[in-house]
Amino acid sequence: MTIRVGLIGAGVMGSDHARILSTAVSGVELSAVSDPEAARMARIVETFGPARMFTDPVDLIRDGGVDAVLIASPDQTHGALALACLDVGKPVLCEKPLAASVEECVRVIGKEQAMGKRLVTVGYMRRFDPGYVEMKRRLDGGELGAALVMHCIHRNVAAPSFMTAPMLITNSAVHEIDISRFVLGREVRRVSVVTPRRTRLSNMQDPQIVLLEMNDGVVVDAEIFVNAQYGYDVRAELVCEKGSISLTPPHDVTVAHSGSESFAFPDDWRPRFALAYRSELQAWVGAIGSGVPAGASAWDGYVATAVANAGLKSLASGEPTEVKLEARPACYS
Ligand code: ISE
């Protein structure tokens, strides 16, 4: 059976998802695309083959030729579009964040729970990155003892013009929020955002240090620096009682030349997490076929947004902020 996917959003991520779906994922066909800009839709159709074009994303969601929906539109549109997918009972992979507000996330969870069916997956692709998967496997194996501290680094080359200081948390640090929950298997109880000296190459608070206190006492520190200039660089080291587990940068070669050995950093997250994106999409398509969910759930999407929002309060107040979560519905355990 071929799953006909409708893609909402033909920007950077939408185009990349279109490429991966059309070239690297089996059992799927890109059947429709929606974007406010006709030229961007046309580029996807020209490059990746015939797909119907919709100006209104809700028309795409309701269309009989679309079995499942991939949302890659701007962050603030995610929640309403995910709800529209649930209205018609279609599986949806929603790019992170699930929704900008906690209230909207709660509406998605409530609706999914009432339907009695897991239809929403959130695109926290790092859960499919071989490095983080192995980090979790080694921690769960127990040979290194209990986790104590997780150090994370998340650096982008240069922030797009629409990026704001709060977005370092809601758009970038949400990945560390999600992946630390995934690796450690714990919830975040308190968030503090520390603001170091600012780079002169940006007019917002950049970098920021996001500190997550997990409910078993593990502390996660994440440096988020979105104008780091030199390359896209994501690192993590999990310090345990009897050793530590570090991600190794996934490059194909190192080059020895002129007295030094080096490797190249990617420009952004697409090459760095290429394998993760591909596995995430393949797992999503497989899960639609099998009915067994894979990847981050709507609950995970809700928690990431709730923790990020606590981070926003801490950024504004300078104080640590407690995270208060709803009770987890049984369908997400
Ligand atoms: C972007 O939206 C992403 O999701 C990337 O993975 C992240 O590294 C980047 O900081 C975000 O702006």
Side-chain angles (χ1 to χ4, degrees):
M1 175 183 137
T2 299
I3 292 165
R4 298 166 302 173
V5 170
L7 170 69
I8 301 178
V12 171
M13 276 322 296
S15 306
D16 205 44
H17 283 312
R19 178 185 63 77
I20 300 168
L21 281 176
S22 315
T23 59
V25 177
S26 59
V28 74
E29 155 196 322
L30 183 64
S31 70
V33 57
S34 167
D35 194 273
E37 277 185 47
R40 298 207 306 189
M41 282 195 276
R43 259 199 303 280
I44 288 198
V45 173
E46 276 157 27
T47 320
F48 303 113
R52 276 161 326 118
M53 296 190 265
F54 293 82
T55 318
D56 184 342
V58 177
D59 289 341
L60 174 146
I61 291 170
R62 293 189 182 142
D63 189 79
V66 168
D67 304 317
V69 179
L70 204 171
I71 300 174
S73 47
D75 291 2
Q76 67 279 9
T77 63
H78 291 182
L81 293 171
L83 284 165
C85 292
L86 292 179
D87 278 340
V88 292
K90 291 190 182 172
V92 53
L93 173 59
C94 179
E95 259 301 334
K96 42 64 60 172
L98 172 57
S101 77
V102 172
E103 294 71 25
E104 221 172 6
C105 291
V106 169
R107 277 203 288 283
V108 175
I109 295 172
K111 189 156 195 153
E112 199 178 40
Q113 199 189 354
M115 294 177 75
K117 213 161 141 196
R118 290 261 305 265
L119 290 171
V120 179
T121 306
V122 186
Y124 283 112
M125 78 298 184
R126 290 190 188 182
R127 290 175 178 236
F128 293 90
D129 175 70
Y132 285 111
V133 169
E134 181 63 5
M135 182 180 273
K136 179 173 177 53
R137 196 187 69 79
R138 296 299 286 258
L139 173 66
D140 291 348
E143 69 199 317
L144 279 85
L148 307 173
V149 178
M150 187 166 167
H151 302 294
C152 305
I153 284 177
H154 184 161
R155 297 183 189 143
N156 291 9
V157 175
S161 56
F162 57 80
M163 194 101 179
T164 58
M167 285 175 74
L168 267 71
I169 301 171
T170 58
N171 191 267
S172 298
V174 281
H175 283 294
E176 273 67 27
I177 293 169
D178 181 69
I179 204 65
S180 51
R181 290 182 62 242
F182 171 77
V183 169
L184 299 167
R186 297 287 171 168
E187 292 300 3
V188 180
R189 70 165 179 232
R190 197 165 30 230
V191 188
S192 314
V193 177
V194 178
T195 52
R197 181 183 190 181
R198 291 160 55 156
T199 172
R200 289 171 299 174
L201 303 179
S202 164
N203 48 20
M204 63 183 169
Q205 178 59 56
D206 184 30
Q208 298 177 23
I209 311 289
V210 179
L211 285 174
L212 308 174
E213 291 171 65
M214 310 304 284
N215 58 12
D216 61 351
V218 173
V219 171
V220 179
D221 60 81
E223 175 211 300
I224 313 295
F225 185 17
V226 296
N227 288 285
Q229 309 295 307
Y230 66 89
Y232 184 74
D233 192 5
V234 165
R235 305 183 196 197
E237 181 188 12
L238 183 61
V239 183
C240 303
E241 290 168 312
K242 293 189 251 173
S244 92
I245 313 165
S246 296
L247 298 182
T248 48
H251 47 267
D252 294 329
V253 291
T254 52
V255 176
H257 180 62
S258 295
S260 65
E261 188 172 46
S262 64
F263 64 87
F265 286 99
D267 292 336
D268 67 30
W269 53 92
R270 290 168 294 172
R272 167 63 181 82
F273 289 107
L275 250 174
Y277 281 117
R278 199 165 78 200
S279 307
E280 173 188 65
L281 287 177
Q282 190 66 71
W284 178 56
V285 170
I288 295 171
S290 69
V292 181
S297 65
W299 171 258
D300 297 314
Y302 152 72
V303 176
T305 296
V307 174
N309 277 280
L312 293 183
K313 285 194 189 131
S314 177
L315 175 66
S317 67
E319 300 293 330
T321 305
E322 304 293 321
V323 177
K324 291 189 188 69
L325 296 179
E326 306 275 315
R328 185 199 285 247
C331 63
Y332 298 115
S333 48

